[in-house]
Structure formats: structure tokens, C-alpha cells
Amino acid sequence: MAANKIKTVTEVVQSIPDGAHVALGGFAINRCNIVVSHELIRQEKMNLTLSQGVVGLDTDLLVGAGLVERCIMGGGSLDRFGPAHCINRAREAQPGWSHDYSSLTICLKYLAGAMGLSFMPTKCLLSSEVLERLEEFAPEDVKGMKCPFTGEEYLLLRALTPDISFVHVQVADREGNAQISGARWENEEQAKAAKRLVVVAEELVPTEYIQRNPERTIIQGHRVEAVIHQQFGAYPTACFEYYDFDADHLRHYVSQAKKAETFPEYVDKYILGTKDHWEYLEKAGGLRRMNLIRAEKLRGY
């Protein structure tokens, strides 16, 4: 009999200890793990190390709420809505708080972890200011070497192996086989590098549906610990083929997040003031609002 890995976000987050290394999929304002970030804030998980290829709204929320002790990232923003203000404040207040890579080298660090290697060699970042900063604040994670075959200079990147990774996907079955439509960024490498893997699915489908197009199955069920089924789980960010971002809500968030003094108002209203994601969606406008951002079948947005 096939395994049923369906769990609630509350159950999964309860299993995460303070101080864990949490990796988040998504990208800026696309497929962000909003339902997970909200629950981490509700449960007040502290001293987290957070890694993400390109940080976005989910990470900005966690940093603003004071849950993140260290951030490992390859840049990021809220796309057309501007910078991630909470992250930028933390970086300015604590030199070395963030370990800043390029998005490619973050992917290479996850790839090393996914392959069971302790490091990945690259020529990226050589002679760059990014490397200078890493050598100052994270010297244990970057090392230079000469190629034993050619004598060329290489940079060794320490592997990233998160304690738990969350990846928001369009569809998954109850066993955890998951498909991602559209851009994937480094999400596949991140998923395979993690010690524990949880997918958040917009839609639950029978395994027979997954088997129709096996080449689209980016995450295989045997890797997955749990499946969280949550429609609009990435709202107000976009989920390709399901819904677009909510520009009005994102502008409202930015207006609150610009100042440390007003950011708690957003958290109190939309996160701590709601018991779960469904109640949050109702407070954000409910079904009428969600229908306004549903994707067109032809374009996916």
C-alpha cells in the first residue's frame, strides 16, 4: 500500500528545533513558502540558520520577526516592489550576519550536498569583492586550491546540507512525488541536499496523474518526509499556472516593512492575529480576492 505522507504545517513546524538550518525554495516573489514562514513565526522558532538561492518575501518575514540568526543567500529582493527591507536592516546592523554568495554558487553548494560531496570546486567569485567578504566573515566555508592536473586556481565551496528544506510545488501525490511547472532555479539541488524534505503542494493528485508525465517529476517521493497540502500557500507571491502575485498586498507589505517600527503591525494583523493560513487568506480578501489573481490557462499568469 502506498505511503500517505500528508501532514499539517503545524505538525511539521513543531518538529523543527530551535537553531535548525532551514532552506526555502522559491525565488523573490515566486513560489515563496509563505504558509511555512507564517507558522514558524506563530510557533516562535528561534536562532534559525536560513539558506535560499534568491531570498524573497518568506525570508524577509522571518528575519523581520527576529527568528534568523544567520542567512546564507545568493542575493534577492521583492522584485518590482523593491528591496527586502528587513533583510537589509539586519545586514546593516550586524556585519557578517549574512553570508552572501552569487545565486550560481549557492546552487553549487547545494549541488555538492546533493551529491554527497563535502565541497564543490568552481572558478566563480575568484578575484571578486564577494569572495573578499566571504573570506572575512565565513573563512571556514571557502578555500582556494591549485588544480593538481593543470595548476589552475580554483575556489572550493563548502557543501550546504540543510536540516530541513521546504519547496513549494504545483502538484504532488500523497507519497511526495512532486512536479514543478515553470522556472525551478536551484530548488531541485536544494531539495536533494537536505537531511529532511517537505513539499508544500497547491494540488494533491493521484499517483496515476504523476505517472503520465514522469519526466516532470522533479522531486521523487522516496526523498520526501511530508506533504503539506495548502491552496494559495505562496500567497501573496505567485505560483505559475495557479495564481499571480497580489500587487496590492505586496505594496501594503512593503509600506509596513520599510520601518522596523511598523513591521510588527503587519505580523500582528496577518500572522499572529490569525490561527492558520485559511484565516490569513480570509483577512487578506478571501475567495473574491483569490479569484482576481487566478492564472489564465493559456499564459499561466
Side-chain angles (χ1 to χ4, degrees):
M1 185 176 178
N4 186 349
K5 299 180 181 179
I6 304 300
K7 290 186 178 180
T8 67
V9 67
T10 302
E11 290 176 302
V12 173
V13 171
Q14 283 174 344
S15 73
I16 301 174
D18 288 346
H21 175 180
V22 178
L24 299 176
F27 183 104
I29 54 170
N30 293 279
R31 279 197 297 106
C32 290
N33 290 272
I34 302 300
V35 62
V36 174
S37 292
H38 282 196
E39 191 58 30
L40 285 166
I41 292 170
R42 289 191 190 99
Q43 295 192 26
E44 299 181 318
K45 298 294 180 176
M46 302 302 293
N47 303 319
L48 301 176
T49 292
L50 200 66
S51 67
Q52 192 170 29
V54 173
V55 297
L57 179 60
D58 42 6
T59 301
D60 202 52
L61 282 165
L62 293 170
V63 172
L67 275 59
V68 181
E69 184 176 37
R70 172 164 295 150
C71 194
I72 304 169
M73 60 186 187
S77 70
L78 301 184
D79 203 84
R80 70 190 65 185
F81 301 97
H85 291 287
C86 297
I87 293 171
N88 285 352
R89 276 196 297 272
R91 295 174 71 196
E92 292 167 5
Q94 307 172 61
W97 170 83
S98 63
H99 292 181
D100 297 287
Y101 294 81
S102 66
S103 54
L104 172 59
T105 46
I106 283 282
C107 182
L108 292 175
K109 286 168 69 66
Y110 283 134
L111 179 60
M115 295 175 68
L117 302 175
S118 58
F119 67 89
M120 182 64 66
T122 181
K123 289 188 175 182
C124 294
L125 306 185
L126 288 175
S127 302
S128 70
E129 292 182 3
V130 174
L131 179 56
E132 290 176 7
R133 182 177 170 86
L134 287 168
E135 288 173 333
E136 179 180 0
F137 294 111
E140 69 281 2
D141 291 332
V142 289
K143 302 290 181 185
M145 70 160 284
K146 286 187 180 293
C147 174
F149 302 105
T150 66
E152 294 175 277
E153 295 291 334
Y154 279 89
L155 176 67
L156 308 184
L157 302 167
R158 184 191 288 270
L160 272 180
T161 52
D163 295 315
I164 186 167
S165 174
F166 291 93
V167 181
H168 193 96
V169 303
Q170 280 84 358
V171 297
D173 65 12
R174 294 177 179 272
E175 298 176 53
N177 298 298
Q179 297 179 345
I180 299 175
S181 300
R184 300 201 300 266
W185 304 292
E186 84 305 326
N187 293 185
E188 182 177 0
E189 289 80 9
Q190 180 201 104
K192 292 176 179 177
K195 299 169 187 174
R196 301 171 60 194
L197 173 59
V198 176
V199 297
V200 182
E202 287 290 330
E203 186 175 1
L204 275 181
V205 297
T207 299
E208 290 76 13
Y209 177 89
I210 297 286
Q211 291 171 338
R212 288 180 184 177
N213 302 103
E215 73 281 358
R216 295 186 60 198
T217 305
I218 303 305
I219 297 173
Q220 296 77 31
H222 71 273
R223 297 181 180 274
V224 177
E225 174 184 309
V227 178
I228 298 168
H229 178 211
Q230 180 60 65
Q231 292 173 286
F232 292 97
Y235 176 86
T237 68
C239 185
F240 180 59
E241 292 186 339
Y242 283 76
Y243 48 91
D244 213 329
F245 56 77
D246 187 334
D248 289 343
H249 192 97
L250 285 167
R251 279 191 285 265
H252 173 61
Y253 172 79
V254 169
S255 72
Q256 299 288 95
K258 275 184 177 178
K259 296 182 180 179
E261 297 77 19
T262 55
F263 176 79
E265 296 174 15
Y266 181 92
V267 173
D268 289 343
K269 179 177 180 179
Y270 291 104
I271 304 175
L272 300 181
T274 58
K275 66 180 180 181
D276 57 23
H277 199 70
W278 290 115
E279 195 168 298
Y280 156 70
L281 292 174
E282 284 298 318
K283 189 164 283 191
L287 183 59
R288 180 173 295 180
R289 188 70 190 170
M290 301 307 119
N291 276 332
L292 288 176
I293 60 171
R294 284 191 186 277
E296 296 179 6
K297 288 293 184 183
L298 185 61
R299 295 190 300 167
Y301 287 105

